[in-house]
Amino acid sequence: MRNISLIFLLGLGLSTKAQDVVQYVQPLAGTAASTTSAALKHGSGTELNANTIPAVGLPFGMTQFSPETRKSETKCLPPYLYKDTVLTGIRATHWLSGSCTQDYGSFTVMPVMGSLKTKPEAYGASFSHKDEITAPNYYKVNLPGYQLDVEFTATLRSSMMQFTAHRADSLYLLIMPNSDQGKGFVKVDKENGIVWGYNPVHRIYQGWGEPAGFNGFFYLKVEKAITSHGTFSSTGIFNTDSIANQKDIGAYLGFKVNKGDILRIRVGTSFSNLEGARKNLEHEITNWDFSALTAKNKQIWQQALSQIKVETPILKDKRIFYTAFYHSMQHPRLFNDVDGTYPRFSGNYQLEKLSKGNYYDDFSMWDIYRAQLPLFELLKPELINDAVQSMILKGSQGGWLPIFPCWNSYTAAMIGDHGTAFIASAYTKGIRNYDVNEAYRLMRQNAFESPSKADYINGKGRRALDTYLKYGYIPMEDGVPDAFHKKEQVSRTLEYAYDDYALAMVAKGLNKTADYTELIKRSKNYRNVFDPKVNMVRGRYINKSWYEPFKGNAKEPYITEGTPGQYTFYVPHDVPGLAALMGGKAKLEQSLDTLFNGGEYWHGNEPGHQIPFLYNYTAAPWKTQLRVKEILANEYSDGPGGLSGNDDAGQMSAWYVFASLGFYPVDPVSNNYLLTAPLFDQITIILPNSKKLTITTHKQSKDSGYISAVRWNRKAYAKNFLSYEKLKEGGLIEITLSDRPNKKWGLSL
């Protein structure tokens, strides 16, 4: 049975009488522009928004269901924005949570009381946030103009919605594929109370606007008999059963309702075909008991969120933590039906079928290899194994390991080659129930070979690999034209150096000595873009001269979404080597101080997420504890604007989860987690195989935030990091916190 919800229900050994942690989740967090100080200084435009939505569904599900306040599938425009006051429906969405991409394969259901209206400006219903109830498993809103309550709950691939009328009137349901390209299909089967259709998926970034080779299908079943029905488009309303390939198409169903009447619908979704959507619905929702389904879905979230129990008297911290944990469980996205069928990666409407496990997509890989995926390497290694297997399937089916696979296509959307970093991280942790040799072949191909021109333009292969290999860095002369992010040569050099290191670790494990030697050498390429005269990374030409003028704290064309000052610290695999370039540990500490004291640290974008933990490589690990505590307090809150930048498929949130627990994977491939002071009094983590990790803090006072001593299973522990091997076995970590720094603790790394 391919149902990940069962994974969360089984095997955790959690009591059903455990504390209700679902109540702490605030799905509206991140739906408004950020209000944090760093975001206001360094963010701009869409980077000011977390771009999350109040998603209702189950962890890592195929389709999330969200209230809709924005109609289109436009890039960087989520379906729901907190500032909006008009509801335009319930969207079955594939929005990449916290991203600046676009929705795809979605459709919307909108209830309309009174006369039939099919234009958004006419049927949109005013609402107030005070009339909303939001939870991971449930959403409710009252629409006073319609005198109607709207509620829905959702499973992995399906949803049940119910509409309660508070007056006698006509009630219409509009069912609309959301194609911005005037494509799609919808059909009404009045006799059987069924509506079905699809919304073709189109690519963005590489191959922008081209068909992605699959559709978003839906199969909708109505509980009551349909009184009237028809279709519509931007040009009018029609007395037909179906409509296709016109702008703003939809079907409508009409009902007569009395005051207090409830109309329910059930809807299944699929990326494969109509039959898959029907089977998914029949498998996941078997009756019309809305309350029971809502309760069941809440229990699944309760089990998932209870895998980490945090204890603190500060309710705000609990709300932020469990909201972050919820956001960490939105992606990667389940792509296969209950019978294992899924659309072939980068295919042409071809279908494949799994014999075991699940197939996933929407890997915002530049973001999530850092902390979001590593979080589940600890918590759900079987999920990670399926994710790695999914990456291998993509590479085998498409010919190249994808860089940033979204909407089941190649994209080359961001820089680096972090599918390699992710697979290497899983491999070094012993998560290997897949074809390791095929995984290595695909990773090696990306690192050593360039595809044909046509494949390269299509998004396959590393961008600018030729010049990277030729010069040991990507020179300013290479503008990287065949990429969505052009130029950014220094950032690319730094990230390829890390990916080379990651692949080297796999080569070492497989005894591929020649590859290991070459890749380890290449992992030092970050040195080639470090200018000791300015003590930062800097753009460089083929003749080895430096880009002028140098602006260390400005956004430069050779840096990705940041500044040279911020990106200088992106050497997660060789921080001692970076320190040596700077002149030693003291100079590294001084450079970190300059960044933080000058207000140049920007938490709202991923390349800086490891920076606060780098003090652990200096003689002042206590400064990691200081800076992390400040970030937890200042860059996260529990309001709608409580995230400091795009959540990016849960990476921003996963950082909070790790940092608040007191450890963080600066280099996920190394299997080491750098220590800091936990935020909570006690933490209990339920690990696979019924093992348990308990972290207890002993505080000098309620505000204590500096580590003075650590004990591991009752024995003194002097190092300032924990290993995966230790953590996965469980045990007891006791951390004594004081009001003042213990400047002698943690000097052993």
Side-chain angles (χ1 to χ4, degrees):
M1 184 178 294
R2 300 170 179 86
N3 193 328
I4 200 169
S5 65
L6 294 180
I7 295 174
F8 284 95
L9 281 170
L10 301 172
L12 295 183
L14 298 172
S15 169
T16 57
K17 297 181 180 180
Q19 179 187 16
D20 177 10
V21 293
V22 177
Q23 66 177 312
Y24 299 122
V25 177
Q26 297 192 310
L28 294 180
T31 61
S34 177
T35 56
T36 72
S37 57
L40 294 176
K41 177 174 181 177
H42 297 288
S44 61
T46 58
E47 292 175 2
L48 272 176
N49 299 319
N51 283 345
T52 59
I53 58 174
V56 175
L58 294 183
F60 311 103
M62 173 179 287
T63 304
Q64 287 81 37
F65 290 79
S66 169
E68 175 192 276
T69 66
R70 297 289 169 125
K71 284 297 299 176
S72 78
E73 291 184 336
T74 301
K75 185 178 184 293
C76 295
L77 188 65
Y80 180 100
L81 290 175
Y82 188 81
K83 66 182 181 180
D84 293 340
T85 59
V86 175
L87 185 83
T88 54
I90 305 165
R91 186 184 296 193
T93 177
H94 306 114
W95 174 256
L96 193 61
S97 178
S99 74
C100 190
T101 57
Q102 69 185 43
D103 206 347
Y104 65 88
S106 72
F107 67 94
T108 297
V109 177
M110 178 63 190
V112 178
M113 288 286 278
S115 61
L116 175 64
K117 309 175 191 71
T118 61
K119 303 287 187 182
E121 59 272 19
Y123 64 68
S126 297
F127 74 101
S128 170
H129 294 304
K130 67 180 177 61
D131 293 327
E132 289 183 297
I133 298 174
T134 61
N137 65 302
Y138 174 73
Y139 177 88
K140 179 180 180 180
V141 67
N142 174 257
L143 303 178
Y146 285 151
Q147 294 183 292
L148 188 73
D149 286 340
V150 176
E151 301 169 89
F152 56 92
T153 187
T155 59
L156 286 170
R157 310 170 180 87
S158 307
S159 173
M160 186 186 295
M161 308 175 192
Q162 73 175 20
F163 309 95
T164 304
H166 296 295
R167 73 176 191 232
D169 209 333
S170 295
L171 170 60
Y172 294 92
L173 294 183
L174 312 181
I175 300 101
M176 300 166 282
N178 293 318
S179 173
D180 286 348
Q181 299 198 20
K183 303 293 184 181
F185 176 84
V186 61
K187 180 177 176 61
V188 179
D189 178 351
K190 178 178 180 293
E191 299 306 315
N192 293 301
I194 295 168
V195 181
W196 67 274
Y198 59 84
N199 178 3
V201 178
H202 294 83
R203 299 174 66 181
I204 67 172
Y205 302 129
Q206 311 306 111
W208 201 306
E210 296 175 3
F214 68 102
N215 302 313
F217 289 91
F218 60 90
Y219 178 91
L220 185 151
K221 180 76 175 173
V222 184
E223 184 180 20
K224 293 185 176 181
I226 299 168
T227 303
S228 62
H229 74 284
T231 61
F232 59 90
S233 72
S234 61
T235 61
I237 299 173
F238 312 105
N239 186 25
T240 59
D241 290 333
S242 64
I243 192 168
N245 298 331
Q246 298 181 43
K247 184 175 174 55
D248 300 332
I249 63 170
Y252 70 85
L253 309 177
F255 308 87
K256 289 293 185 181
V257 294
N258 294 312
K259 183 178 180 179
D261 279 359
I262 297 175
L263 174 65
R264 297 185 186 90
I265 64 174
R266 303 188 311 221
V267 57
T269 68
S270 170
F271 291 128
S272 300
N273 49 37
L274 172 64
E275 183 67 6
R278 183 186 66 80
K279 287 181 178 179
N280 291 339
L281 176 60
E282 292 177 351
H283 176 80
E284 294 180 358
I285 305 179
T286 58
N287 57 48
W288 291 101
D289 192 334
F290 183 85
S291 296
L293 182 62
T294 301
K296 178 183 177 182
N297 292 336
K298 180 179 179 179
Q299 184 59 23
I300 293 171
W301 272 110
Q302 172 74 7
Q303 296 284 4
L305 294 166
S306 295
Q307 194 168 358
I308 304 177
K309 178 183 178 182
V310 298
E311 298 180 39
T312 175
I314 304 172
L315 290 179
K316 178 181 178 181
D317 289 346
K318 278 191 175 183
R319 290 195 295 266
I320 298 172
F321 178 85
Y322 284 108
T323 300
F325 200 13
Y326 152 79
H327 280 145
S328 299
M329 286 188 267
Q330 301 300 312
H331 300 289
R333 183 185 307 286
L334 180 66
F335 243 70
N336 59 279
D337 296 336
V338 293
D339 67 356
T341 303
Y342 68 95
R344 182 181 179 89
F345 182 74
S346 191
N348 185 24
Y349 302 96
Q350 304 151 282
L351 298 179
E352 303 285 346
K353 193 166 186 178
L354 298 166
S355 59
K356 62 179 180 179
N358 286 296
Y359 175 77
Y360 293 92
D361 195 63
D362 284 354
F363 290 88
S364 189
M365 199 62 84
W366 183 74
D367 311 288
I368 62 176
Y369 84 94
R370 304 166 195 266
Q372 190 265 343
L373 289 170
L375 178 63
F376 294 97
E377 288 174 342
L378 274 172
L379 299 178
K380 308 304 301 181
E382 71 277 18
L383 168 70
I384 295 299
N385 196 89
D386 279 357
V388 173
Q389 175 62 19
S390 299
M391 291 293 294
I392 296 170
L393 286 171
K394 295 175 197 302
S396 298
Q397 291 169 9
W400 290 80
L401 186 70
I403 301 295
F404 191 99
C406 286
W407 36 98
N408 210 36
S409 302
Y410 289 99
T411 69
M414 293 298 295
I415 68 169
D417 182 16
H418 299 316
T420 291
F422 164 54
I423 295 172
S425 180
Y427 174 86
T428 59
K429 291 172 180 62
I431 302 172
R432 302 178 187 176
N433 189 21
Y434 46 83
D435 188 339
V436 172
N437 289 325
E438 175 66 359
Y440 185 80
R441 182 189 72 80
L442 290 165
M443 291 187 289
R444 189 189 188 283
Q445 179 179 249
N446 273 18
F448 286 89
E449 300 176 26
S450 293
S452 68
K453 182 65 174 178
D455 280 348
Y456 186 76
I457 292 174
N458 194 39
K460 301 178 183 181
R462 289 190 184 185
R463 307 294 93 177
L465 178 64
D466 290 345
T467 54
Y468 174 76
L469 294 180
K470 183 175 182 179
Y471 301 107
Y473 61 96
I474 302 172
M476 296 299 294
E477 287 89 345
D478 188 345
V480 198
D482 293 310
F484 179 72
H485 278 234
K486 305 183 192 314
K487 301 183 180 181
E488 303 180 2
Q489 299 91 337
V490 169
S491 295
R492 293 178 190 278
T493 298
L494 294 170
E495 303 218 17
Y496 285 159
Y498 179 73
D499 296 324
D500 288 340
Y501 149 81
L503 185 54
M505 296 301 101
V506 183
K508 183 178 181 180
L510 296 176
N511 295 316
K512 297 183 181 295
T513 305
D515 283 358
Y516 170 77
T517 301
E518 173 64 18
L519 289 162
I520 280 294
K521 178 182 177 182
R522 283 165 47 175
S523 76
K524 308 298 183 182
N525 281 345
Y526 70 89
R527 298 172 177 174
N528 297 330
V529 290
F530 183 88
D531 181 2
K533 292 182 180 179
V534 298
N535 213 38
M536 293 183 189
V537 293
R538 186 175 182 180
R540 200 168 201 180
Y541 293 98
I542 290 173
N543 65 6
K544 299 191 176 179
S545 64
W546 299 104
Y547 178 86
E548 296 285 357
F550 179 71
K551 299 176 182 178
N553 293 326
K555 292 186 177 180
E556 295 284 17
Y558 55 82
I559 296 292
T560 300
E561 298 179 0
T563 68
Q566 294 158 356
Y567 238 105
T568 292
F569 299 100
Y570 184 80
V571 188
H573 58 295
D574 190 16
V575 181
L578 175 63
L581 285 179
M582 290 181 168
K585 288 185 177 182
K587 291 293 186 180
L588 173 61
E589 180 185 344
Q590 181 181 337
S591 294
L592 290 166
D593 287 344
T594 299
L595 185 81
F596 282 103
N597 294 337
E600 292 301 324
Y601 174 73
W602 179 24
H603 191 68
N605 211 359
E606 281 70 23
H609 276 187
Q610 79 285 353
I611 293 176
F613 295 90
L614 300 190
Y615 281 111
N616 279 355
Y617 291 87
T618 75
W622 63 271
K623 291 183 180 178
T624 280
Q625 300 145 40
L626 169 67
R627 298 305 185 185
V628 170
K629 184 178 181 181
E630 290 175 343
I631 295 167
L632 290 172
N634 298 330
E635 296 300 314
Y636 296 85
S637 188
D638 59 347
L643 287 169
S644 62
N646 293 172
D647 197 43
D648 286 320
Q651 167 59 27
M652 195 74 60
S653 292
W655 189 98
Y656 185 94
V657 172
F658 264 124
S660 67
L661 297 179
F663 54 98
Y664 185 83
V666 166
D667 167 16
V669 177
S670 74
N671 295 350
N672 291 332
Y673 305 80
L674 278 292
L675 278 169
T676 190
L679 183 63
F680 304 105
D681 297 336
Q682 183 161 308
I683 299 157
T684 305
I685 304 174
I686 306 299
L687 298 166
N689 302 319
S690 299
K691 295 178 180 179
K692 182 170 68 175
L693 176 69
T694 301
I695 304 171
T696 300
T697 59
H698 306 287
K699 295 183 177 180
Q700 180 182 353
S701 72
K702 65 181 180 66
D703 296 321
S704 296
Y706 295 102
I707 298 175
S708 61
V710 177
R711 294 175 65 85
W712 177 270
N713 290 332
R714 311 293 183 185
K715 296 181 180 179
Y717 187 81
K719 297 178 180 178
N720 62 22
F721 69 92
L722 299 168
S723 70
Y724 179 81
E725 290 72 22
K726 280 183 174 291
L727 288 175
K728 73 175 184 177
E729 295 301 318
L732 173 64
I733 302 173
E734 296 174 277
I735 302 179
T736 302
L737 301 179
S738 58
D739 294 342
R740 294 179 180 275
N742 177 354
K743 297 183 179 181
K744 294 182 179 180
W745 181 85
L747 300 180
S748 175
L749 181 67

